[in-house]
């Protein structure tokens, strides 16, 4: 198969848009994270597929990521990929804890690179007390006795909810083993050739559960004050930074708010972002919620953007935001208004895997498209100019 080449010059469908419009899109302006140059501010948010075989990517991932590779987003962050087998959310979650995991993921990423000009990041995760779960379409609850459940770990023996068993409180050996597992998976991700690596520090999974007072009630040096609760995530981040080359962006998806009394708030997020920056990380990606089933985030458009704006302003860290960003004009306003440097979208890309092409049409910008698809637009978008 012919290797894909960006076709920016060959494809100029929107002659009705003037040059001024082309120059003013913040969404389609480039950005640099450490040594990584990205052509626009659009990111495909990590999305678990619950479809792996003992942590190994397979043909589903080949098709799914191949589709998102040609979405117009400059960066595709692949789903939460777990650093140890018992750190997976479900039996179907991706892992990067074995040589087989590494080989199969390398195969998928090599395929994506052959067909696309996008860059690829990976989110490394440990599910903590939210591990041993059913896939969402099986109910999403804790695995029952007949479903091959496994024991979970967490900062404190506080169950996530919905009838799950309490996790075992992590002891010193657990803390070391899981930190080393993050480091080993980061080394594997570097070997595969990922363009960016992201630590999952949100959605109630292990590292977030250390940071939040809702799930962390330890009385040792890894609990108590904000500094104590942040200590373990920061140790993991620093250990990863030590093995991820400096030019390769290392970031973290963090929690802007637990959305509950007594939980993390945006001041905690600012403190965490500052500490991650001091540990040498290159960006934060602001999400929120997930520490208990009871905490329900708001679901209005761009609900995390005000949190991201404050985190960006106060920490000086490059900031990405996610959450109910759907319309191109909304994404443009977030970047142009300085609320965030990048926008990540999940469900909008599942709904429209060429979201970036359609957004580019609105702003007179261009994105690389495979030559095989060049005849698609603008003939089939007669309403594009009116959107
Ligand atoms: C199918 C699906 C899988 C997801 N898996 C992950 C994941 O692996 N890691 C993560 O941080 N967030 C995950 N999320 C959350 C999204 O990345 C995103 O933060 C959330 O859906 C809100 O963004 P949206 O409104 O653009 O969908 C997932 C969301 C969906 C819909």
């Amino acid at each position: 198969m012919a290797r894909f080449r960006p076709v920016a010059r060959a494809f100029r469908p929107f002659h009705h848009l003037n040059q001024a419009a082309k120059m003013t899109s913040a969404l389609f302006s480039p950005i640099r994270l450490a040594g990584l140059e990205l052509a626009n501010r659009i990111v495909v948010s990590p999305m678990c597929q619950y479809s792996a075989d003992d942590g190994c990517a397979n043909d589903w991932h080949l098709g799914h990521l191949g589709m998102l590779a040609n979405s117009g987003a400059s960066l595709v962050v692949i789903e939460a990929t777990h650093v140890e087998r018992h750190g997976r959310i479900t039996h179907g979650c991706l892992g990067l804890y074995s040589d087989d995991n590494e080989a199969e993921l390398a195969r998928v990423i090599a395929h994506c690179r052959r067909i696309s000009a996008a860059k690829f990041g990976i989110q490394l995760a440990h599910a903590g007390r939210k591990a041993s779960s059913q896939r969402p379409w099986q109910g999403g609850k804790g695995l029952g006795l007949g479903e091959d459940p496994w024991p979970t770990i967490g900062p404190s023996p506080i169950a996530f909810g919905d009838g799950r068993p309490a996790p075992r409180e992590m002891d010193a050996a657990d803390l070391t083993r899981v930190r080393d597992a993050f480091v080993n998976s980061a080394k594997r991700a570097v070997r595969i050739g990922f363009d960016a690596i992201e630590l999952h520090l949100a959605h109630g999974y292990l590292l977030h559960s250390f940071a939040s007072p809702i799930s962390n009630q330890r009385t040792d040096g890894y609990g108590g004050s904000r500094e104590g609760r942040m200590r373990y995530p920061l140790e993991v981040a620093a250990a990863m930074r030590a093995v991820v080359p400096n030019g390769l962006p290392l970031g973290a998806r963090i929690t802007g708010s637990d959305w509950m009394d007594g939980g993390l708030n945006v001041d905690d997020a600012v403190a965490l972002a500052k500490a991650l920056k001091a540990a040498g990380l290159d960006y934060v990606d602001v999400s929120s919620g997930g520490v208990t089933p009871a905490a329900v985030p708001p679901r209005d458009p761009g609900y995390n953007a005000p949190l991201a704006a404050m985190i960006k302003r106060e920490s000086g860290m490059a900031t990405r935001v996610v959450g109910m960003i759907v319309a191109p004009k909304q994404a443009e306003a977030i970047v142009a208004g300085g609320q965030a440097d990048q926008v990540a979208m999940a469900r909008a890309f599942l709904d429209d895997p060429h979201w970036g092409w359609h957004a580019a049409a609105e702003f007179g910008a261009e994105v690389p498209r495979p030559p095989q698809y060049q005849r698609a637009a603008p003939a089939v978008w007669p309403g594009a100019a009116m959107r």
Side-chain angles (χ1 to χ4, degrees):
M1 183 174 45
R3 195 173 165 81
F4 171 77
R5 283 190 184 77
V7 289
R9 305 225 75 76
F11 193 76
R12 293 189 169 279
F14 295 100
H15 302 296
H16 58 277
L17 291 166
N18 62 30
Q19 196 62 29
K22 289 185 180 187
M23 299 305 289
T24 54
S25 171
L27 190 61
F28 286 92
S29 63
I31 185 171
R32 186 186 175 97
L33 294 176
L36 179 66
E37 300 277 358
L38 296 168
N40 61 45
R41 308 302 182 93
I42 306 166
V43 179
V44 176
S45 197
M47 281 181 274
C48 289
Q49 297 298 292
Y50 315 102
S51 301
D53 306 308
D54 194 358
C56 287
N58 55 36
D59 286 355
W60 174 260
H61 302 87
L62 207 65
H64 167 69
L65 293 170
M67 172 182 85
L68 295 172
N70 280 311
S71 62
S74 61
L75 178 66
V76 178
V77 182
I78 72 158
E79 66 190 84
T81 302
H82 299 93
V83 300
E84 64 175 8
R85 196 162 185 267
H86 279 186
R88 293 174 303 161
I89 309 167
T90 73
H91 285 296
C93 283
L94 271 190
L96 202 40
Y97 47 77
S98 73
D99 291 347
D100 283 351
N101 293 165
E102 186 179 332
E104 294 306 319
L105 195 52
R107 177 180 84 100
V108 169
I109 296 304
H111 161 76
C112 291
R113 296 217 189 270
R114 280 194 296 274
I115 62 164
S116 149
K119 305 293 184 188
F120 292 88
I122 183 170
Q123 185 184 57
L124 295 180
H126 190 297
R129 68 194 187 127
K130 290 175 84 170
S132 189
S133 295
Q134 298 166 332
R135 294 169 174 87
W137 55 84
Q138 293 167 332
K141 299 208 177 316
L143 289 173
L145 278 182
E147 298 175 303
D148 194 13
W150 64 86
T152 60
I153 54 174
S156 302
I158 302 170
F160 173 65
D162 66 15
R164 288 164 190 259
R168 181 170 58 75
E169 179 170 318
M170 287 172 74
D171 61 18
D174 293 318
L175 294 172
T176 302
R177 187 193 72 253
V178 172
R179 183 201 62 204
D180 292 350
F182 270 102
V183 168
N184 286 336
S185 295
K187 287 181 184 166
R188 290 184 188 277
V190 171
R191 270 205 299 270
I192 290 172
F194 278 99
D195 300 299
I197 298 177
E198 175 169 309
L199 203 53
H200 202 342
L201 230 157
H203 300 173
Y205 298 115
L206 185 72
L207 298 179
H208 173 199
S209 72
F210 265 87
S212 175
I214 303 292
S215 41
N216 182 348
Q217 292 175 10
R218 294 177 79 98
T219 53
D220 63 4
Y222 292 100
S225 65
R226 179 197 277 163
E227 285 63 36
R229 285 180 278 105
M230 291 195 317
R231 188 170 155 207
Y232 187 60
L234 288 173
E235 282 182 5
V236 171
M240 286 173 68
R241 182 74 277 180
V243 299
V244 174
N246 273 340
L248 189 62
L250 177 64
R253 172 164 275 198
I254 65 168
T255 300
S257 173
D258 277 341
W259 303 117
M260 63 189 300
D261 289 343
L264 295 175
N265 60 30
V266 70
D267 296 330
D268 297 304
V270 168
L272 181 60
K274 284 181 177 169
L276 290 168
K277 190 175 181 205
L281 267 64
D282 301 299
Y283 71 91
V284 288
D285 177 6
V286 179
S287 187
S288 62
V291 79
T292 78
V296 183
R299 290 293 182 205
D300 45 314
Y303 59 93
N304 289 319
L307 303 173
M310 184 163 163
I311 293 163
K312 175 174 153 65
R313 192 175 60 241
E314 300 288 318
S315 71
M317 186 80 141
T319 301
R320 182 181 304 163
V321 67
V322 68
M324 278 301 280
I325 301 166
V326 177
K329 285 191 177 67
Q330 182 197 7
E332 170 72 21
I334 289 171
V335 180
Q339 289 183 292
D341 300 291
Q342 292 174 295
V343 285
M345 282 157 283
R347 290 165 294 177
F349 274 108
L350 292 186
D351 183 59
D352 176 6
H354 290 155
W355 190 96
W357 301 16
H358 302 143
E362 275 203 41
F363 298 110
E366 291 181 1
V367 288
R369 304 157 210 242
Q372 294 92 330
Y373 285 10
Q374 273 183 54
R375 286 164 65 185
V380 294
W381 298 346
M386 265 94 78
R387 275 192 283 170

